[in-house]
Amino acid sequence: MLRIAIIIGSTRPGRKGEAVAKWAYEIARARTDAEFELVDIKDFNLPLLDEPMPPMMGRYTHDHTKMWSAKIASFDGFVFVTPEYNHATSAALKNAIDFLYSEWVNKAAGFIGYGATSGARAVENLRLIMGELQVATVRAQVGLSMFTDFENFSVFKPAPAHEKHVHVMLDQVIAWSGALKTLRVK
Ligand SMILES: Cc1cc2nc3c(=O)[nH]c(=O)nc-3n(C[C@H](O)[C@H](O)[C@H](O)COP(=O)(O)O)c2cc1C
């Protein structure tokens, strides 16, 4: 069974990302075509990148890197749930991505963005980053607006249509995750 991570991309106290990711996870886990796991980068307590060797070498010295590596290596594909901070993804998510290399390569990713412009710029930023890591990014994405999907810009109340958008994005992530798995057979 393909394994897909739903990664919470924000770490700040009071973050909205947790509610968004849990909502997506509940939708995803009703499916039978893949296994899903909620992955919270906050749980890994990653400092700013502190490995002496480039991640491409895979020679990790710290336990936090080894634990993060083992977790990400266990998946075939990813859904990044990203906030938009200053027209980009969060520094915490970029840092977590930067810690690893081969664990991402030849896998697929989809995105759920949220913000004033539905996280569109944060997702575009992540697509560029994924290109360097040889992650195939699917076209369908979920965009949640601070104006219409969060009551008083605060409580997450997604419009009903977004559930279908999550499924369309997952359909593509699962299809590409399965196809790319053949490239990773040693
Ligand atoms: C440092 C910072 C920068 C932000 N910049 C943007 C931005 O460029 N565009 C946008 O739509 N929202 C921006 N916002 C608003 C966030 O999208 C909103 O606060 C969202 O809840 C952040 O996600 P989080 O609660 O999971 O951390 C910014 C928020 C923060 C904290």
Side-chain angles (χ1 to χ4, degrees):
M1 181 75 85
L2 292 169
R3 280 176 44 75
I4 309 294
I6 296 176
I7 299 178
I8 308 177
S10 62
T11 53
R12 68 178 188 91
R15 61 190 174 166
K16 297 186 177 65
E18 190 173 350
V20 174
K22 284 183 173 165
W23 164 79
Y25 174 68
E26 289 305 322
I27 294 169
R29 74 191 193 122
R31 299 176 64 117
T32 55
D33 50 356
E35 272 176 20
F36 298 90
E37 187 176 321
L38 206 50
V39 174
D40 191 347
I41 54 177
K42 198 165 183 276
D43 291 341
F44 292 82
N45 290 314
L46 295 168
L48 283 176
L49 181 58
D50 62 348
E51 286 291 343
M53 301 296 282
M56 208 175 271
M57 312 284 284
R59 289 167 55 187
Y60 304 134
T61 59
H62 299 296
D63 285 346
H64 55 251
T65 316
K66 290 173 189 169
M67 287 176 69
W68 178 234
S69 164
K71 177 57 71 182
I72 294 305
S74 75
F75 295 106
D76 301 294
F78 310 100
V79 173
F80 290 98
V81 178
T82 182
E84 181 167 305
Y85 293 162
N86 297 317
H87 292 201
T89 193
S90 70
L93 179 55
K94 175 65 162 59
N95 184 57
I97 291 168
D98 289 346
F99 258 94
L100 308 178
Y101 181 74
S102 65
E103 297 84 348
W104 302 113
V105 170
N106 287 332
K107 296 180 181 176
F111 305 96
I112 300 175
Y114 54 97
T117 54
S118 304
R121 295 166 294 212
V123 171
E124 290 297 301
N125 174 230
L126 274 170
R127 288 183 187 278
L128 277 179
I129 296 162
M130 292 293 114
E132 175 58 13
L133 293 167
Q134 301 179 68
V135 175
T137 63
V138 304
R139 178 177 185 272
Q141 68 189 56
V142 181
L144 301 162
S145 165
M146 281 298 153
F147 297 98
T148 53
D149 296 308
F150 292 83
E151 206 170 77
N152 300 322
F153 295 89
S154 167
V155 182
F156 184 46
K157 295 262 173 70
H162 290 307
E163 183 167 340
K164 182 162 183 284
H165 302 154
V166 171
H167 280 300
V168 173
M169 179 268 294
L170 289 176
D171 287 345
Q172 296 181 3
V173 170
I174 291 165
W176 284 19
S177 295
L180 286 165
K181 196 166 187 171
T182 59
L183 290 183
R184 303 199 308 277
V185 175
K186 295 264 176 346

